[in-house]
Amino acid sequence: MLIGLFRNIGKVYLYRSVTVHQLNCSNVVKQFSNSENMSEQQATAGAEAPKKSSVQLKKEAKKKEKMEKYEAKMKALEASKAAATDKTKKDQKKAVKESIVYDKPTKPGEKKDVSGPMPTSYSPQYVEAAWYSWWEKEGFFKPEYGRATAADPNPNGIFMKCIPPPNVTGSLHLGHALTNAVQDALTRWHRTNGKTALWNPGCDHAGIATQVVVEKKLWREQQISRHELGREKFIKEIWKWKDEKGDRIYHQLRKLGSSYDWDRACFTMDPKLSNAVMEAFIRLHSEGIIYRSNRLVNWSCRLKSAISNIEVDKKELTGRTMLAVPGYDQKIEFGVLVSFAYPVEDLPGEEVVVATTRVETMLGDTGVAVNPNDTRFKHLIGKHVKHPFCDRRLPIVADEFVDMEFGTGAVKITPAHDYNDYDVGKRHNLPFVEMMDETGLITDVCEQFKGMKRFDARMAVLQALKDKGLYRDTKENPMVVPVCSRSKDVVEPLIKPQWYVDCTEMAKEAVKVVRSKEVKIIPESHEKTWFQWMENSRDWCISRQLWWGHRIPAYFVTVDDPSVPPGDDTDGHYWVSGHNKGEVLKKASERFKVPPEKISLRQDEDVLDTWFSSALFPFSIFGWPEQTEDLKLFYPGSLLETGHDILFFWVARMVMFGLKLLGEIPFKEVYLHAMVRDAHGRKMSKSLGNVIDPIDVISGITLQELHATLENSNLDPRELEQARAGQAADYPDGIPECGTDAMRFALCAYTAQGRDINLDVKRVVGYRHFCNKIWNAAKFALKGLGDNFVPSPSEETCGKEKPLDLWILSRLSKAVGDVSSGFEEYNFTQVTTAIHSFWIYELCDVYLEYLKPVFTGSDEEAKTVSKNVLYTCLDVGLRILSPFMPFLSEELFQRLPRRSANTPPSICVTPFPKPQLSWQNRSLETQVELMQEVVKSIRSIKQDYLHPKDRPDVYIACSDSNTIAVLKEFEPAITTLSQSGTVHVILGKETPAGCTMQTVGDKCEVHVLLRGLVDTGREISKLQEKISKLSIQLDKLQTTMATEGYEQKVPENVRLAEQEKVQLLTVERRNLEGAVEKFTSLQEQ
């Protein structure tokens, strides 16, 4: 859809006519004509068709000939498009093949060789090669760097934060990339501001995920299950897998340029951290904060384990939906509400109709609840209904939790399989009947369904209710189905004896430290969520029925003595915790007052929730409970940076455990970044095909390779097809190579979007172009400085700078100030905007263009002064860029000459610049802003009327002497930046004939002399010819659309396309008419 815009290029007027929908236009005529013919045929059905005249036959032949030519033309057009597309793909492949790479022999840890000329263009592969291993070997990322020990007093303070430990099984996703981009930028900024900086890496053992991975591996390679192998051997297999594959995540983090102190890397199953986990459990258990209880948990029948809330995906259904469930050949129906009747005991003909989305759970019903205010059921409260499939009486109880408007107003109560029902059952002392076991099979509660799989029982129970005449109806019902994120199984609430953490008092303390700002949450909007969770916190289930993880250091005690009655598994009195069996025996002997030889111990088979060890991470990494030097120095930390989705699951628990176990907060600030979504605002999902590995953004990937990443997923065929289609729609040509620096910068620039980031890879590609712009600017600057340039010893000005020299230093100081304040306020958009604007719009677009005639001129003093200013811009500009683009900034920094021999060896450890207040000159900036507006007006006129190489004379007519004085000072700069001939700054409006004019504010006008450069008469003739052709097109189209029956006979999509074309042609004609007016006004001067 092209609107013709006019531009005279070297006296040849270029015009792009509208060709969009031409085929549709022909189709309109064709379809309309056909529809008329059909109507005629229908009207004369059964009659002999009239003979056609010779004139009609000639017209049809001519029409046919035109259509054949047109179709041939369109086929040729399509073929040329296909050839162009094929050429583009070949060019892309060629570009990838010819990508510039670093090939100088450099051993890992050696400094990269940057001698010799810079490559012709920016190449991420070239720039990012070799630097990281050198940084790591030199110890730039260690807090000890530059001092004898990390504990040496530092007046600048300490900056410490720990990584949100990624899963050992995982590979990076864009959420990890965002976390690392933000955290690394902050760490590098604090480090170069002179602080003793530590960013501590680590990895989580990921209990469920790791166990599943290794179980699948064992079955794939040896066809053996973990149960056949045995616990001890299975755990050895996991450690073997971890040693072989577990450091992949660390390699990826290095690829992101993350400046961790790798010598302090921790794994949550390491002895040091495992010791902290054991100690924490034992202390909290001894205080009664950890206790044993038989309660409902989220249960995965597939994993045969309890899972945490964060491992439960909530699948929202709008109504009846068939879902695939692991272990079932057929899809299972969800999103319906089934109503059935319970006959009331001793009241013949009376029944209570209940409704449920899980009809199979009625096998575990032990009551029916109604609202005490519901007049329909008041007479039944206290009576009983009879279970149709077993000998069980169900009391009808009154409870205000019942919503009288939902369903039938009566609710079946299954205390052992529903969280709401559990509470009702407790309040009314109802029996807890377990109708399903941990594998998802029906128990012996009702003999006819015993041993059935739960969703097979769903259909069987429904049929049995129908057979008994108790079924009433089924309605569609919006609902949320809980799905295990690991196994994709539907989660079931089951009652299990588990270990719990009483969070009540710890949550109160966590509320206090946030209210008092002892812990500051950024953005503050998340405080509301914090208070809601903490003030309504429930006790935390920490048992997991797995083998991989920290085995719970608690033992069930059996006493061989008649004075001590046998204990029950759910009775916490018979559970004793300790560091080893000897300690536990001693404790048990004291508790039950019997000698140790009468006691036998059985350690709990379960392991602790992975989040338990993660909650200890800020101090377990430093060796707690031992009072190590690192613990004293680095606890509490300065900052925790993570996603807001784990504010409760991880952040809150770290605060609670830090306060409880150490008496101190674990960190002073919490910065919560946004969540990454795709360009359309959708959550990242494998089934949508929008989950992108950041390494693919860094290195580039073809569409075929993206498709291949889906092959090993757990998607069913329909979801796989949907995912492929999603990838093809979003990345039809794959993802181009963007590089680490561009991706990091883009992610940080996106963080202003609030809770969600809608990441469009095209934006990342845009920042790759930004990298290229910086590269080319540095190439030009280094060439301008020359091989023998030696910068002045300091950044101080010499007093001989020209206005634009002083202006660029003022803008540089402003950029440095904006960057520093942005970092302090976690305003990454401000930081990235300040950096981008300085490099592109001020250094490249203005100052470097201004310097071109300076460097080629004869004023040696001006050259020397400008070279020093340019050097300062490069040096400071790279240092403010470094936290976001560590590779590119290091590559260019190493090519700059040094002010002194004592300059730090790397930009990683070079002090961050401070804003030079003496450089800031707002008055000068205002003057340059006026100059830039003048240049903008000149460029605008040239773009409308002239060839880019034309150099017209310019007259700047000013209304006062002050404006003249300012613009006179910038005459050379205006000439250079606008690529004009001679620039005249004058008082008044006496300008030559043949000029076109634009106003610049209220104090000056820009007049560009076009006479002699434009043949106005010729241009007017050409424009009028175009207008005439457009008018014919419009008239024909409007005539067709005005034909009787057009609206009824022409398809809507074709009508809409033609309406759009009429609008486009109308706008285009209006633009051309405006151009004629402009040229006419020039002709009249």
PDB file of all heavy atoms in Angstrom, residues 732-749:
ATOM      1  N   PRO A 732       9.887 -15.972  10.174  1.00  0.00           N
ATOM      2  CA  PRO A 732       9.861 -16.647   8.860  1.00  0.00           C
ATOM      3  C   PRO A 732      11.249 -16.859   8.271  1.00  0.00           C
ATOM      4  O   PRO A 732      11.466 -17.805   7.526  1.00  0.00           O
ATOM      5  CB  PRO A 732       9.035 -15.682   7.992  1.00  0.00           C
ATOM      6  CG  PRO A 732       9.083 -14.363   8.708  1.00  0.00           C
ATOM      7  CD  PRO A 732       9.169 -14.695  10.163  1.00  0.00           C
ATOM      8  N   ASP A 733      12.189 -15.994   8.615  1.00  0.00           N
ATOM      9  CA  ASP A 733      13.564 -16.134   8.119  1.00  0.00           C
ATOM     10  C   ASP A 733      14.521 -16.552   9.229  1.00  0.00           C
ATOM     11  O   ASP A 733      15.735 -16.334   9.139  1.00  0.00           O
ATOM     12  CB  ASP A 733      14.035 -14.815   7.502  1.00  0.00           C
ATOM     13  CG  ASP A 733      13.167 -14.393   6.329  1.00  0.00           C
ATOM     14  OD1 ASP A 733      12.837 -15.262   5.507  1.00  0.00           O
ATOM     15  OD2 ASP A 733      12.796 -13.205   6.262  1.00  0.00           O
ATOM     16  N   GLY A 734      13.973 -17.133  10.311  1.00  0.00           N
ATOM     17  CA  GLY A 734      14.811 -17.474  11.453  1.00  0.00           C
ATOM     18  C   GLY A 734      15.136 -16.234  12.266  1.00  0.00           C
ATOM     19  O   GLY A 734      14.494 -15.190  12.139  1.00  0.00           O
ATOM     20  N   ILE A 735      16.147 -16.336  13.104  1.00  0.00           N
ATOM     21  CA  ILE A 735      16.590 -15.205  13.924  1.00  0.00           C
ATOM     22  C   ILE A 735      18.012 -14.867  13.503  1.00  0.00           C
ATOM     23  O   ILE A 735      18.892 -15.721  13.531  1.00  0.00           O
ATOM     24  CB  ILE A 735      16.549 -15.564  15.423  1.00  0.00           C
ATOM     25  CG1 ILE A 735      15.117 -15.904  15.855  1.00  0.00           C
ATOM     26  CG2 ILE A 735      17.101 -14.423  16.269  1.00  0.00           C
ATOM     27  CD1 ILE A 735      15.015 -16.427  17.279  1.00  0.00           C
ATOM     28  N   PRO A 736      18.252 -13.633  13.092  1.00  0.00           N
ATOM     29  CA  PRO A 736      19.615 -13.278  12.683  1.00  0.00           C
ATOM     30  C   PRO A 736      20.557 -13.213  13.877  1.00  0.00           C
ATOM     31  O   PRO A 736      20.122 -13.064  15.026  1.00  0.00           O
ATOM     32  CB  PRO A 736      19.439 -11.887  12.058  1.00  0.00           C
ATOM     33  CG  PRO A 736      18.210 -11.337  12.699  1.00  0.00           C
ATOM     34  CD  PRO A 736      17.319 -12.509  12.977  1.00  0.00           C
ATOM     35  N   GLU A 737      21.843 -13.327  13.604  1.00  0.00           N
ATOM     36  CA  GLU A 737      22.856 -13.218  14.660  1.00  0.00           C
ATOM     37  C   GLU A 737      22.839 -11.794  15.224  1.00  0.00           C
ATOM     38  O   GLU A 737      23.039 -10.831  14.492  1.00  0.00           O
ATOM     39  CB  GLU A 737      24.238 -13.524  14.086  1.00  0.00           C
ATOM     40  CG  GLU A 737      25.354 -13.380  15.098  1.00  0.00           C
ATOM     41  CD  GLU A 737      26.741 -13.412  14.455  1.00  0.00           C
ATOM     42  OE1 GLU A 737      26.860 -12.930  13.303  1.00  0.00           O
ATOM     43  OE2 GLU A 737      27.680 -13.899  15.082  1.00  0.00           O
ATOM     44  N   CYS A 738      22.560 -11.673  16.523  1.00  0.00           N
ATOM     45  CA  CYS A 738      22.488 -10.353  17.158  1.00  0.00           C
ATOM     46  C   CYS A 738      23.669 -10.086  18.072  1.00  0.00           C
ATOM     47  O   CYS A 738      24.057  -8.931  18.265  1.00  0.00           O
ATOM     48  CB  CYS A 738      21.194 -10.226  17.969  1.00  0.00           C
ATOM     49  SG  CYS A 738      19.709 -10.305  16.953  1.00  0.00           S
ATOM     50  N   GLY A 739      24.235 -11.142  18.670  1.00  0.00           N
ATOM     51  CA  GLY A 739      25.344 -10.957  19.593  1.00  0.00           C
ATOM     52  C   GLY A 739      24.869 -10.730  21.015  1.00  0.00           C
ATOM     53  O   GLY A 739      23.738 -10.312  21.270  1.00  0.00           O
ATOM     54  N   THR A 740      25.765 -11.017  21.954  1.00  0.00           N
ATOM     55  CA  THR A 740      25.446 -10.879  23.378  1.00  0.00           C
ATOM     56  C   THR A 740      25.177  -9.431  23.757  1.00  0.00           C
ATOM     57  O   THR A 740      24.208  -9.131  24.466  1.00  0.00           O
ATOM     58  CB  THR A 740      26.611 -11.426  24.223  1.00  0.00           C
ATOM     59  OG1 THR A 740      26.773 -12.822  23.960  1.00  0.00           O
ATOM     60  CG2 THR A 740      26.346 -11.230  25.706  1.00  0.00           C
ATOM     61  N   ASP A 741      26.025  -8.527  23.313  1.00  0.00           N
ATOM     62  CA  ASP A 741      25.893  -7.127  23.726  1.00  0.00           C
ATOM     63  C   ASP A 741      24.557  -6.532  23.317  1.00  0.00           C
ATOM     64  O   ASP A 741      23.899  -5.842  24.110  1.00  0.00           O
ATOM     65  CB  ASP A 741      27.034  -6.302  23.135  1.00  0.00           C
ATOM     66  CG  ASP A 741      28.373  -6.581  23.806  1.00  0.00           C
ATOM     67  OD1 ASP A 741      28.373  -6.931  24.996  1.00  0.00           O
ATOM     68  OD2 ASP A 741      29.414  -6.458  23.145  1.00  0.00           O
ATOM     69  N   ALA A 742      24.136  -6.782  22.085  1.00  0.00           N
ATOM     70  CA  ALA A 742      22.864  -6.230  21.607  1.00  0.00           C
ATOM     71  C   ALA A 742      21.703  -6.800  22.399  1.00  0.00           C
ATOM     72  O   ALA A 742      20.760  -6.082  22.756  1.00  0.00           O
ATOM     73  CB  ALA A 742      22.693  -6.523  20.120  1.00  0.00           C
ATOM     74  N   MET A 743      21.758  -8.094  22.688  1.00  0.00           N
ATOM     75  CA  MET A 743      20.668  -8.714  23.443  1.00  0.00           C
ATOM     76  C   MET A 743      20.606  -8.160  24.862  1.00  0.00           C
ATOM     77  O   MET A 743      19.521  -7.847  25.375  1.00  0.00           O
ATOM     78  CB  MET A 743      20.828 -10.232  23.477  1.00  0.00           C
ATOM     79  CG  MET A 743      19.640 -10.930  24.131  1.00  0.00           C
ATOM     80  SD  MET A 743      19.890 -12.698  24.313  1.00  0.00           S
ATOM     81  CE  MET A 743      21.135 -12.718  25.594  1.00  0.00           C
ATOM     82  N   ARG A 744      21.751  -8.042  25.519  1.00  0.00           N
ATOM     83  CA  ARG A 744      21.783  -7.496  26.885  1.00  0.00           C
ATOM     84  C   ARG A 744      21.212  -6.074  26.909  1.00  0.00           C
ATOM     85  O   ARG A 744      20.393  -5.727  27.767  1.00  0.00           O
ATOM     86  CB  ARG A 744      23.224  -7.481  27.409  1.00  0.00           C
ATOM     87  CG  ARG A 744      23.781  -8.839  27.787  1.00  0.00           C
ATOM     88  CD  ARG A 744      25.293  -8.756  28.012  1.00  0.00           C
ATOM     89  NE  ARG A 744      25.637  -7.748  29.001  1.00  0.00           N
ATOM     90  CZ  ARG A 744      26.245  -7.973  30.153  1.00  0.00           C
ATOM     91  NH1 ARG A 744      26.573  -9.211  30.488  1.00  0.00           N
ATOM     92  NH2 ARG A 744      26.543  -6.992  30.987  1.00  0.00           N
ATOM     93  N   PHE A 745      21.662  -5.259  25.966  1.00  0.00           N
ATOM     94  CA  PHE A 745      21.215  -3.866  25.928  1.00  0.00           C
ATOM     95  C   PHE A 745      19.710  -3.801  25.691  1.00  0.00           C
ATOM     96  O   PHE A 745      18.996  -3.026  26.348  1.00  0.00           O
ATOM     97  CB  PHE A 745      21.965  -3.115  24.828  1.00  0.00           C
ATOM     98  CG  PHE A 745      21.906  -1.621  24.961  1.00  0.00           C
ATOM     99  CD1 PHE A 745      22.872  -0.936  25.680  1.00  0.00           C
ATOM    100  CD2 PHE A 745      20.886  -0.888  24.367  1.00  0.00           C
ATOM    101  CE1 PHE A 745      22.831   0.448  25.812  1.00  0.00           C
ATOM    102  CE2 PHE A 745      20.827   0.495  24.489  1.00  0.00           C
ATOM    103  CZ  PHE A 745      21.807   1.165  25.211  1.00  0.00           C
ATOM    104  N   ALA A 746      19.212  -4.617  24.772  1.00  0.00           N
ATOM    105  CA  ALA A 746      17.780  -4.618  24.455  1.00  0.00           C
ATOM    106  C   ALA A 746      16.955  -5.022  25.672  1.00  0.00           C
ATOM    107  O   ALA A 746      15.938  -4.392  25.990  1.00  0.00           O
ATOM    108  CB  ALA A 746      17.503  -5.566  23.290  1.00  0.00           C
ATOM    109  N   LEU A 747      17.360  -6.077  26.364  1.00  0.00           N
ATOM    110  CA  LEU A 747      16.607  -6.550  27.522  1.00  0.00           C
ATOM    111  C   LEU A 747      16.556  -5.491  28.615  1.00  0.00           C
ATOM    112  O   LEU A 747      15.505  -5.268  29.233  1.00  0.00           O
ATOM    113  CB  LEU A 747      17.223  -7.846  28.058  1.00  0.00           C
ATOM    114  CG  LEU A 747      17.000  -9.091  27.193  1.00  0.00           C
ATOM    115  CD1 LEU A 747      17.888 -10.238  27.666  1.00  0.00           C
ATOM    116  CD2 LEU A 747      15.536  -9.513  27.213  1.00  0.00           C
ATOM    117  N   CYS A 748      17.672  -4.825  28.862  1.00  0.00           N
ATOM    118  CA  CYS A 748      17.686  -3.780  29.894  1.00  0.00           C
ATOM    119  C   CYS A 748      16.863  -2.568  29.453  1.00  0.00           C
ATOM    120  O   CYS A 748      16.188  -1.944  30.274  1.00  0.00           O
ATOM    121  CB  CYS A 748      19.121  -3.365  30.207  1.00  0.00           C
ATOM    122  SG  CYS A 748      20.066  -4.645  31.067  1.00  0.00           S
ATOM    123  N   ALA A 749      16.896  -2.261  28.160  1.00  0.00           N
ATOM    124  CA  ALA A 749      16.119  -1.126  27.659  1.00  0.00           C
ATOM    125  C   ALA A 749      14.620  -1.384  27.784  1.00  0.00           C
ATOM    126  O   ALA A 749      13.822  -0.461  27.893  1.00  0.00           O
ATOM    127  CB  ALA A 749      16.475  -0.853  26.198  1.00  0.00           C
TER     128      ALA A 749
END
